[in-house]
Amino acid sequence: MDKREEFLRIFDEKITREGAAELRAYLTESDFFQAPASMRYHCAYAGGLCEHSVNVYRRLLRHVEDEYGSDYQKIVPDESIAICGLLHDVCKVNFYRADFRNVKENGEWVRKPCFVREELFPFGHGEKSVFIVNRFLHLTGAEAMAINWHMGGFDSRAKGGDYSVSDAYCKYPLAVLLHVSDLEATYIDEKRGS
């Protein structure tokens, strides 16, 4: 099963709250399934964003099961796991565009395809994902916190000295589990390339 099919299967099976069909349509009509997850690092190729999202979902599901046991759904519903794992990076929809860069290979300059940022709605990272998802689905507090702070210390607000991420992690364990899942997917599951 390819990543797009897997993403949509999980989405359709797990995300059933009001607005899910509209959010699904938004994703399929956007560049979500063709976009990279990054410009140079993890999943920096067409389709990488979808692949990364599925990887994070899988990791998050395992972490929630490990943390809470077989009755995990009483604490963290499958729908919340799918929403957080699959949709944490929707801020990257229509965020990159294909371009070219010159690279020296064997002493010769070669024109290579690449992706460049083209931020049309500069609203931040995690907070932008929350904003976009919330336009379609009503997020729970735990889901909003998890998506908002999935970057952890890499979030520009945290780098600037905002301690809210620490408070969020103390109050919302799902936020910690999503952050760890995102790190593991990025640095363990996915190849980094230049």
Side-chain angles (χ1 to χ4, degrees), residues 126-165:
E127 59 268 43
K128 182 178 173 184
S129 289
V130 169
F131 177 82
I132 292 169
V133 174
N134 226 23
R135 288 174 45 213
F136 300 96
L137 303 177
H138 175 73
L139 294 172
T140 68
E143 292 163 354
M145 285 295 171
I147 294 170
N148 184 54
W149 291 112
H150 75 270
M151 293 290 292
F154 296 101
D155 188 285
S156 57
R157 294 168 292 174
K159 286 192 220 176
D162 185 336
Y163 297 105
S164 299
V165 65

Side-chain angles (χ1 to χ4, degrees), residues 60 63-64 67-68 75-76 141-143 145-146 166-181:
L60 182 57
H63 281 299
V64 170
E67 187 65 28
Y68 300 111
I75 299 164
V76 183
E143 292 163 354
M145 285 295 171
S166 180
D167 294 338
Y169 286 175
C170 286
K171 294 175 183 167
Y172 298 93
L174 181 60
V176 177
L177 297 176
L178 180 60
H179 174 57
V180 169
S181 300

Side-chain angles (χ1 to χ4, degrees), residues 83-97:
I83 287 169
C84 293
L86 295 178
L87 304 173
H88 72 284
D89 269 347
V90 295
C91 58
K92 295 178 181 179
V93 166
N94 301 321
F95 183 77
Y96 298 110
R97 70 173 167 79

